[in-house]
Amino acid sequence: MSATPVARTTSRHETLTPRAAVAMFGLLLLAYAVNAMDRMVFPVLLVEVRSEYGFSLEAAGLQATVFALGMGLAGLPAGRLERMFGRRRTIVAGTLLFSVATALTAASTGFADMLLWRVLSGVGEALQLAAIITVASSAFPARRGVAIGSINMAFAAGSVIGPSFGSSLMESYGTWRAPMIAYAAIGVALALATLLLVSPRLTEAKAAAGVVRHIGGAATLLARNPLVLAAIIVLFGLADFAFIGMYASYLREELGFGSGAAGFVVGLSGLAAFASPLGGHLVDRWSPRAVLALLNLGVAACGCALFLGSPGMAWQSVFSFLFGLFASSGVYVAAAGYLVKAVDAKGVSRAAGVFVTCVYVAASAAGLLFSSLTSAAGWTTAAMIQIVGFSVAGAALALALRPHLFSTTDTSGDHS
């Protein structure tokens, strides 16, 4: 039996026009935005899910973030699948798996099968996300940080649309299942559109020799900078996904917000992720020590404001937005961009997989850990430990990075 052929890479000399490349990349980002629609609406639906199934707060917290376990477990294999089958096929397969699992969540009979579908949806998202990060880095090498930032901007679009549109669908149809089924159908349609409309000349692009050269970066992921970044990413995953998974429940159960108001406030944190290209610009221009330290401290400050400050809607709205600015547009984008730059050109796809694994394995436990801390000590103490404390630890670790060992890009002759 012959070995599976490796997908052919495409030189930038066989390039698409810039407009076509951006349009096709935009379609990939649109497909990724559907993930955010589900990720951000499901926590808003947790009150109804808990009521129907009788889940405890801890069980609901696990359901809210367990998709990240699937993402984490699939992160490293995703890089290998990209090399075996090609990035476009990996993106399509991941989008389809995510969409089908989302639809099956609505058909769950109890805790166990819902948990399975949430995990499988995470596997699908990992395949999709790791491949899109690799496409962004390879197809737009002179703008790696900004291209990776645009991925998170797509997440922002889905984050803004997801909670409000999902709440509207739930109220219109009288069931939390309506948004899940709708988002699954949109995902399937976009997977088919990707297969038909996105060219391998974009997804399988490889920088041509003599046009773009990657200089420096570690030859192994076990070097100092990649390992320090991995630790920062784990801490960030635990902090950020505690917020993503449980903040809506805090608003509704502790502060008395309705589903619509909670969806609005949570959506503002996603709106802030529209600034993600700015976070990518920081990656392209500034030292990882300063950027990651300051951004993590910003996350910690916002966590203090949300859980120690006023319970009013205006206050919560402002600091939810700022939390998203520092976390989603900031640490998430910067950590991904710097991890890609921490390795040499051959390690890019593996670095993308490691990023997905680190952030989402941590995230898979974030909801359960936060809800357990909340049950034991209350919402405020849980937030001070997990959101604020872990962010401060990440800021301290950033000071251990060695900026001169990160890769740089020689783009003489490149016009992307």
Side-chain angles (χ1 to χ4, degrees):
M1 181 176 178
S2 61
T4 303
V6 177
R8 186 177 70 89
T9 56
T10 303
S11 167
R12 287 174 60 88
H13 291 308
E14 304 173 45
T15 188
L16 298 161
T17 65
R19 185 172 298 178
V22 170
M24 290 179 186
F25 189 61
L27 182 57
L28 299 182
L29 296 182
L30 186 60
Y32 181 59
V34 179
N35 286 328
M37 292 169 68
D38 172 71
R39 294 293 170 245
M40 298 303 286
V41 76
F42 191 74
V44 176
L45 307 176
L46 272 183
V47 172
E48 284 71 26
V49 173
R50 285 184 64 194
S51 176
E52 178 175 333
Y53 290 92
F55 294 159
S56 66
L57 181 63
E58 290 85 352
L62 181 59
Q63 293 285 3
T65 58
V66 75
F67 73 90
L69 177 61
M71 290 195 71
L73 294 176
L76 291 176
R80 180 172 179 81
L81 288 175
E82 287 176 43
R83 295 188 293 274
M84 290 175 62
F85 301 111
R87 299 165 194 160
R88 185 179 65 162
R89 291 177 182 173
T90 302
I91 291 168
V92 170
T95 306
L96 287 173
L97 178 57
F98 167 85
S99 301
V100 170
T102 297
L104 288 172
T105 299
S108 300
T109 60
F111 180 83
D113 60 333
M114 183 180 288
L115 200 71
L116 173 62
W117 307 135
R118 300 306 290 168
V119 169
L120 287 178
S121 74
V123 172
E125 185 173 350
L127 299 179
Q128 182 196 54
L129 176 59
I132 293 176
I133 290 175
T134 306
V135 170
S137 181
S138 299
F140 306 99
R143 306 287 189 274
R144 285 185 290 175
V146 172
I148 291 172
S150 69
I151 299 172
N152 215 40
M153 190 170 69
F155 189 90
S159 297
V160 172
I161 296 169
S164 56
F165 183 49
S167 295
S168 176
L169 287 172
M170 181 177 68
E171 292 171 3
S172 296
Y173 289 92
T175 174
W176 62 269
R177 292 175 171 82
M180 307 296 288
I181 294 171
Y183 295 168
I186 295 171
V188 170
L190 288 171
L192 296 176
T194 298
L195 188 62
L196 295 173
L197 300 177
V198 175
S199 170
R201 285 184 291 167
L202 174 80
T203 58
E204 319 310 320
K206 182 178 180 181
V211 178
V212 177
R213 294 190 304 118
H214 296 271
I215 303 170
T220 172
L221 287 163
L222 298 179
R224 180 190 182 96
N225 282 338
L227 287 176
V228 171
L229 284 166
I232 293 171
I233 291 165
V234 168
L235 289 169
F236 173 71
L238 287 167
D240 187 45
F241 281 84
F243 172 85
I244 290 174
M246 299 304 296
Y247 178 59
S249 293
Y250 169 70
L251 290 175
R252 296 188 66 183
E253 297 186 3
E254 184 73 6
L255 302 187
F257 282 49
S259 62
F264 173 78
V265 174
V266 170
L268 287 173
S269 67
L271 179 65
F274 276 112
S276 292
L278 178 60
H281 181 75
L282 295 177
V283 172
D284 290 334
R285 295 289 184 268
W286 298 97
S287 164
R289 279 182 183 170
V291 170
L292 285 172
L294 291 174
L295 290 174
N296 270 291
L297 289 176
V299 172
C302 291
C304 287
L306 289 169
F307 290 88
L308 293 175
S310 168
M313 186 168 181
W315 179 277
Q316 292 293 319
S317 295
V318 168
F319 283 100
S320 175
F321 177 83
L322 290 175
F323 188 98
L325 190 66
F326 284 108
S328 297
S329 293
V331 180
Y332 185 95
V333 174
Y338 285 128
L339 187 55
V340 168
K341 294 182 72 172
V343 298
D344 59 21
K346 294 179 180 178
V348 168
S349 64
R350 287 188 290 271
V354 167
F355 171 77
V356 172
T357 291
C358 287
V359 73
Y360 289 108
V361 165
S364 68
L368 179 59
L369 175 59
F370 191 80
S371 57
S372 297
L373 288 170
T374 298
S375 295
W379 288 97
T380 299
T381 300
M384 293 305 103
I385 293 172
Q386 190 166 337
I387 295 177
V388 177
F390 290 178
S391 296
V392 170
L397 274 175
L399 301 179
L401 293 168
R402 293 179 176 173
H404 66 283
L405 296 179
F406 283 77
S407 69
T408 57
T409 307
D410 179 1
T411 57
S412 56
D414 178 67
H415 304 287
S416 63

